[in-house]
Amino acid sequence: MDSSPRNVCNASEWQATVLGTLYHLQEALRNATTKKNWERVPKKFTPEALFMICVILIFLILSLIGSFISAWDAFYKTSPKKRFSLTGSKKKRNDTSKEDSFEEPDTDWFKSFRKFLDCFCIQKNVRKIFITTTKTQLDAINGIRTCVFFWVLLAHIGMYYVSAVKYPNDDFQTLIMSPIVQLIFDGRIPLEIFFILSGFLTSLYFCVEYSKKNGNISLLSFCVKRYFRYCLQPSWFLACSMQMHVISPLFLIALIKWPRKGYVFTGVCILGSCLVRFILIVKFNLISGCSAIVFYLSDLKAFYERFFVHVDIIWNKPHTKLSPFLVGLVLGFYLHSKNFTKSSKPNRIALFYGWMTAAILVAINFFHNNTPEKSAWETAIYDTLVSLLFYIYISRIIYLCISGQAGWLNDFLSHKYFIPFSRLSFSAYLVNLLVIEWYFLSLEEFIEYSAVSLVLLNVYLLFWIFVVSFIVAVLFEIPLSRVADLFAKKLKE
């Protein structure tokens, strides 16, 4: 292994990447404030940009066609003078004249093409986001996903805000040193919760399909459906998640056919992932994550240089993210194998010790984040042992919510108002950094800190993130997901 990882800050000129933007944002704002009559020079479209514009136009055209056909069918369905329908359904007619005897071609290819266009119908895709009447045992997952995603958004906004704020005053330093703000900046925690949820839902879906088809499950269909959804944007998170989705059948089939050996095999892989993480942190003397930014306010470039090395070695590597994914995978298999249903008698003693464990883990996190100088061994122990305990505890919260033992917490997380936000979370993940960078890169001077302006800025950015994510979900994400389902059905046939 290379003992001197590349410096992603200075490897090339400033490019429009998250790492490059954060590293150069302060310098760009400083130059903007010192230059008079500063104007941005428009850039020419690159071939990649032109290609993406063509792709977007294709999706827009398909959405317009699919929406028009659905509106046409809805109109003739409610009209008293029905002549024909574009859905292929035959209508009874009193008049058999040639003018009114048109019928749609009753061919397989035409029906398939009609179903394909229906995947892009804007009206139906909007309804898929806002339907909240369905009640399931997994409703709490919507609340967990929504809360964790808001955590990620606040962490992203905070990282850019620290780089764009005028020289931090005492009030700002007091705010950023508070335990709650440091917890928000610790974006590693919510990201790993997402991997736990990903493993949990992947396991449940696979086990249900495996049982329904007596083991005759199409692994190609299992992977293709996820690929269609993830091909919207290249990112390290989607790449890691896709790789773990592809190898998940290896663990799940072992758990289903040989449960004891499967548990041992999965447990060894979890510990192996944690061990690799421990060794890498000690070897390269890495910081614990982006929460350490509070100790580098006077020299943000020094922080970003160390943080980018952490990202390059630990943050975006699948072998270090395997442990939370497998913890969720085991939980999903366990709940499915026990055929678990909601319990009306929660174990109060277990709940008490569970919440006590949560309080201890949170206290350890606060203590760790408030320690400016930590040795590599201290950071490694925290990032491996405490993180592993945290994975297990988050899995326990999911278990308690699904089994109905979480009480008020389950009622809160299962609220129907979380459902639309949960369904938009994937699209919001794709676009949130674009919206945040659009705002901060359009600044012409540093931001003056005040508590009110900080709150208003967060509300403003969150609003536009979800507006843009709604458009992306309706025009791109949901259509691709429906096309993937349609393709999977064709594979089954």
Side-chain angles (χ1 to χ4, degrees), residues 136-416:
T136 68
Q137 197 171 345
L138 301 176
D139 283 343
I141 299 297
N142 294 316
I144 295 174
R145 184 188 286 122
T146 301
C147 293
V148 172
F149 188 69
F150 271 100
W151 187 349
V152 172
L153 293 181
L154 292 176
H156 285 170
I157 295 172
M159 291 284 289
Y160 280 86
Y161 185 84
V162 169
S163 297
V165 72
K166 206 168 185 178
Y167 186 79
N169 55 31
D170 293 339
D171 293 336
F172 181 75
Q173 290 185 357
T174 302
L175 171 71
I176 204 170
M177 290 296 293
S178 63
I180 297 298
V181 174
Q182 289 193 41
L183 184 63
I184 291 174
F185 270 108
D186 197 355
R188 171 180 50 85
I189 296 176
L191 284 173
E192 290 176 346
I193 294 176
F194 273 124
F195 280 106
I196 294 173
L197 292 176
S198 178
F200 173 72
L201 295 174
T202 298
S203 179
L204 278 183
Y205 171 79
F206 185 90
C207 291
V208 169
E209 289 294 310
Y210 192 93
S211 300
K212 191 184 297 183
K213 300 176 181 178
N214 295 321
N216 188 23
I217 187 170
S218 172
L219 297 180
L220 177 61
S221 174
F222 177 75
C223 295
V224 165
K225 183 177 179 181
R226 181 62 60 94
Y227 177 78
F228 265 97
R229 193 181 186 208
Y230 281 4
C231 67
L232 283 171
Q233 183 191 36
S235 73
W236 73 267
F237 177 82
L238 298 184
C240 287
S241 185
M242 187 65 205
Q243 290 176 66
M244 285 181 272
H245 185 79
V246 170
I247 67 172
S248 61
L250 176 67
F251 297 93
L252 290 168
I253 292 175
L255 287 167
I256 293 170
K257 293 190 173 183
W258 313 283
R260 290 185 179 180
K261 294 180 181 179
Y263 278 122
V264 172
F265 173 60
T266 307
V268 169
C269 291
I270 291 173
L271 294 177
S273 174
C274 293
L275 181 61
V276 169
R277 187 173 184 164
F278 183 93
I279 294 172
L280 291 174
I281 292 173
V282 172
K283 182 174 182 178
F284 296 108
N285 191 23
L286 302 177
I287 60 176
S288 59
C290 52
S291 60
I293 193 174
V294 298
F295 305 113
Y296 291 83
L297 294 179
S298 59
D299 189 4
L300 287 178
K301 282 196 172 184
F303 164 74
Y304 287 132
E305 287 177 356
R306 293 197 65 188
F307 176 62
F308 297 161
V309 174
H310 172 88
V311 169
D312 197 42
I313 297 175
I314 297 291
W315 192 283
N316 57 9
K317 293 298 185 289
H319 49 265
T320 59
K321 301 300 179 186
L322 184 63
S323 50
F325 181 83
L326 291 181
V327 169
L329 204 77
V330 170
L331 175 65
F333 169 75
Y334 175 78
L335 288 174
H336 180 267
S337 63
K338 298 299 181 182
N339 197 17
F340 216 85
T341 56
K342 290 196 173 184
S343 172
S344 59
K345 295 181 179 180
N347 188 331
R348 297 187 180 275
I349 297 177
L351 290 176
F352 172 77
Y353 284 109
W355 293 121
M356 286 295 295
T357 303
I360 294 171
L361 290 175
V362 171
I364 293 174
N365 184 79
F366 286 161
F367 175 78
H368 177 79
N369 289 338
N370 276 288
T371 306
E373 296 296 333
K374 296 178 284 288
S375 67
W377 285 91
E378 291 174 330
T379 302
I381 291 173
Y382 171 81
D383 271 21
T384 53
L385 180 59
V386 177
S387 295
L388 180 58
L389 294 175
F390 185 79
Y391 305 154
I392 296 172
Y393 186 75
I394 291 297
S395 298
R396 175 169 172 76
I397 290 179
I398 298 173
Y399 166 82
L400 291 175
C401 289
I402 292 177
S403 62
Q405 299 183 57
W408 63 267
L409 181 61
N410 181 51
D411 295 337
F412 171 73
L413 294 174
S414 300
H415 202 283
K416 64 180 181 180

Side-chain angles (χ1 to χ4, degrees), residues 14-25:
W14 181 17
Q15 298 177 354
T17 62
V18 176
L19 304 183
T21 303
L22 285 171
Y23 186 76
H24 294 280
L25 182 57

Side-chain angles (χ1 to χ4, degrees), residues 128-143:
K128 280 184 171 292
I129 295 175
F130 290 104
I131 291 176
T132 60
T133 55
T134 306
K135 289 282 186 180
T136 68
Q137 197 171 345
L138 301 176
D139 283 343
I141 299 297
N142 294 316

Side-chain angles (χ1 to χ4, degrees), residues 121-132:
C121 174
I122 294 176
Q123 304 94 306
K124 294 182 180 180
N125 293 339
V126 170
R127 283 197 294 268
K128 280 184 171 292
I129 295 175
F130 290 104
I131 291 176
T132 60

